[in-house]
């Protein structure tokens, strides 16, 4: 069934289910004759939140929009909508493309959350595909011999890796809520990885900033640097044939390729060779969880966001509940008074986050209390 979704918030923000081939258009304001006072007031109330007099010009679309951190990935998502895909098709396509074009953040070894609204039923749901701790994880695994936190071990060692959820979450969302075949949605990412992407100034700077760390790992050095150890220059093609092969296996076999197949065997071998904790049973046991969203209300607007283990949604509602009691419209945007109110509100919410938030599979989170008016 082709399930049209009108809104999805995740690694990407998407709206509507289809767009026209013209992805965005600029519509200048129309000057009209003076209107009666009552009509002027009505028009003012209905005015859009964007203004064309600003030096910051908005991007406008009539039927859909895609936003991500990287332009090529966003263009792929918009094209997926233009070709008849729904918001989940676009989101999954963007996420897999980001594994090619934004290696510092978009990758198959991470995890995330997705918020999905189903237009057909009016239901909003969340998909939790965050990483989980491997079975061998224990309380003291990041402490050195003196009982102090080893900063290298906690951030850059193989022990720091959780069991990845990205592939499971994206394929779950595509299978259950997408409208196109997984092979079609993943085709752009596979092509970009195999054919290569021009190295942007942003990517070149990222690789240079992490040069020592990447060169210390033979595989990372082979993938992100030339054979002689020199860096790729801006405009040169960076090809990722191994990633393309992995993406092809996932497109053809689904999540099993990553969690039980050839990719899983290679991942476990890498862990065993470098004192990592992720084993074959950890990968095979990974499960995606669908959860009810956190909801709230702010000045008549319904707020829908991610529940724990994400801390974002529960404290967004908590902060809005507090700020609703103050006349922010009168204090003015970015005024000293408004910044003070927001800062103080965030201070208490973040204190509550430190005290109460955790994985709901292991910790009882007082959600109703924290989001109560």
């Amino acid at each position: 069934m082709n399930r049209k979704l009108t809104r999805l918030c995740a690694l990407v923000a998407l709206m509507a289910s289809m767009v026209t081939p013209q992805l965005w258009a600029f519509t200048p304001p129309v000057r009209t004759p003076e209107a009666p006072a009552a009509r002027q007031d009505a028009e003012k109330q209905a005015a859009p939140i964007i203004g064309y007099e600003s030096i910051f010009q908005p991007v406008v679309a009539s039927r859909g929009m895609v936003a991500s951190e990287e332009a090529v990935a966003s263009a792929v998502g918009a094209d997926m909508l233009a070709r008849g895909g729904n918001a989940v098709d676009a989101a999954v396509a963007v996420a897999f493309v980001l594994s090619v074009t934004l290696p510092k953040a978009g990758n198959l070894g991470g995890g995330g959350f997705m918020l999905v609204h189903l237009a057909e039923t009016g239901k909003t749901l969340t998909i939790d595909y965050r990483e989980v701790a491997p079975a061998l994880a224990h309380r003291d695994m990041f402490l050195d011999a003196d009982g102090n936190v080893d900063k290298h071990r906690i951030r850059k060692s193989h022990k720091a890796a959780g069991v990845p959820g990205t592939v499971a979450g994206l394929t779950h969302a595509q299978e259950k809520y997408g409208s196109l075949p997984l092979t079609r949605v993943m085709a752009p990412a596979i092509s970009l990885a195999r054919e290569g992407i021009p190295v942007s100034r942003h990517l070149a700077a990222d690789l240079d900033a992490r040069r020592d760390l990447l060169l210390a790992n033979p595989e990372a050095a082979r993938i992100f640097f030339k054979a002689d150890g020199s860096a790729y220059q801006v405009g040169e093609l960076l090809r990722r044939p191994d990633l393309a092969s992995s993406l092809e296996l996932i497109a053809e076999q689904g999540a099993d390729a990553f969690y039980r197949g050839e990719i899983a065997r290679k991942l476990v071998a890498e862990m065993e060779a470098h004192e990592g904790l992720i084993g074959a049973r950890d990968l095979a046991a990974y499960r995606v969880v669908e959860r009810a969203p956190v909801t709230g209300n702010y000045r008549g607007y319904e707020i829908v966001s991610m529940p724990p283990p994400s801390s974002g949604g529960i404290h967004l509602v908590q902060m809005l509940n507090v700020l609703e009691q103050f006349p922010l419209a009168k204090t003015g945007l970015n005024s000293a008074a408004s910044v003070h109110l927001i800062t103080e509100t965030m201070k208490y919410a973040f204190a509550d986050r430190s005290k109460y938030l955790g994985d709901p599979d292991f910790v009882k989170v007082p959600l109703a209390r924290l989001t109560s008016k």
Side-chain angles (χ1 to χ4, degrees):
M1 175 181 289
N2 185 339
R3 303 183 178 187
K4 295 183 179 179
L5 293 89
T6 60
R7 185 169 69 252
L8 178 142
C9 304
L11 301 175
V12 294
L14 301 166
M15 297 177 64
S17 59
M18 295 176 65
V19 294
T20 59
Q22 183 182 8
L23 299 181
W24 51 74
F26 174 79
T27 306
V30 178
R31 302 296 181 188
T32 56
E34 194 79 11
R39 183 175 159 191
Q40 286 184 7
D41 290 341
E43 289 176 350
K44 185 176 181 181
Q45 291 293 326
I49 61 174
I50 58 177
Y52 293 100
E53 297 80 9
S54 171
I55 61 171
F56 302 106
Q57 289 298 309
V59 174
V60 178
S62 59
R63 300 181 66 191
M65 184 173 286
V66 177
S68 79
E69 190 178 337
E70 200 278 323
V72 173
S74 295
V76 166
D79 183 66
M80 201 63 60
L81 293 177
R83 294 177 182 274
N86 64 26
V88 167
D89 296 320
V92 173
V94 167
F96 278 118
V97 168
L98 287 172
S99 71
V100 182
T101 61
L102 193 71
K104 72 173 183 180
N107 59 80
L108 305 185
F113 302 112
M114 191 179 290
L115 179 67
V116 182
H117 177 74
L118 303 173
E120 291 180 346
T121 63
K123 179 182 178 181
T124 302
L125 58 97
T126 72
I127 305 174
D128 172 3
Y129 53 98
R130 276 302 303 268
E131 307 92 325
V132 298
L136 292 177
H138 57 90
R139 185 189 63 180
D140 300 330
M141 65 183 184
F142 296 129
L143 303 182
D144 61 20
D146 298 323
N148 300 315
V149 174
D150 184 328
K151 292 184 178 180
H152 174 81
R153 193 183 303 176
I154 200 171
R155 294 176 180 170
K156 300 174 181 178
S157 73
H158 283 60
K159 280 187 170 68
V163 182
T166 295
V167 173
L170 296 179
T171 55
H172 171 92
Q174 184 61 35
E175 179 181 349
K176 197 167 182 181
Y177 303 111
S179 64
L180 300 175
L182 183 63
T183 51
R184 184 173 174 186
V185 169
M186 293 185 64
I190 295 169
S191 177
L192 287 165
R194 192 169 300 285
E195 299 301 324
I197 59 169
V199 173
S200 65
R201 293 188 182 278
H202 189 178
L203 178 55
D206 284 338
L207 294 177
D208 182 64
R210 295 161 177 80
R211 181 183 181 86
D212 293 343
L213 180 64
L214 293 170
L215 289 177
N217 183 291
E219 275 299 289
R222 182 182 67 82
I223 293 168
F224 293 111
F225 292 87
K226 297 178 182 179
D228 62 359
S230 61
Y232 284 93
Q233 300 302 304
V234 174
E236 292 184 327
L237 282 182
L238 175 62
R239 293 183 173 89
R240 309 275 297 281
D242 291 345
L243 178 58
S245 297
S246 295
L247 291 169
E248 282 183 332
L249 286 173
I250 295 167
E252 294 166 1
Q253 302 173 19
D256 278 351
F258 187 91
Y259 293 92
R260 295 176 177 83
E262 180 181 345
I263 302 172
R265 289 190 288 274
K266 291 182 177 179
L267 197 158
V268 171
E270 174 74 9
M271 285 287 157
E272 291 175 346
H274 296 89
E275 299 182 342
L277 303 179
I278 298 174
R281 290 186 178 180
D282 294 312
L283 291 169
Y286 186 87
R287 295 291 183 271
V288 173
V289 181
E290 289 195 7
R291 304 182 188 275
V294 166
T295 60
N297 184 281
Y298 178 75
R299 303 184 191 276
Y301 290 95
E302 182 183 13
I303 309 300
V304 183
S305 191
M306 281 301 306
S310 168
S311 63
I314 193 169
H315 293 299
L316 172 65
V317 173
Q318 181 184 15
M319 288 185 285
L320 290 176
N321 283 344
V322 174
L323 291 171
E324 191 174 39
Q325 311 306 315
F326 296 92
L328 285 177
K330 293 182 179 179
T331 60
L333 178 65
N334 292 332
S335 66
S338 67
V339 170
H340 172 70
L341 286 171
I342 294 170
T343 301
E344 289 297 308
T345 300
M346 293 178 71
K347 181 176 73 176
Y348 287 105
F350 275 73
D352 281 345
R353 183 181 76 164
S354 297
K355 182 172 182 178
Y356 296 112
L357 263 288
D359 188 333
D361 291 341
F362 301 94
V363 177
K364 186 175 182 180
V365 180
L367 188 151
R369 178 183 169 194
L370 290 173
T371 59
S372 167
K373 292 286 186 184

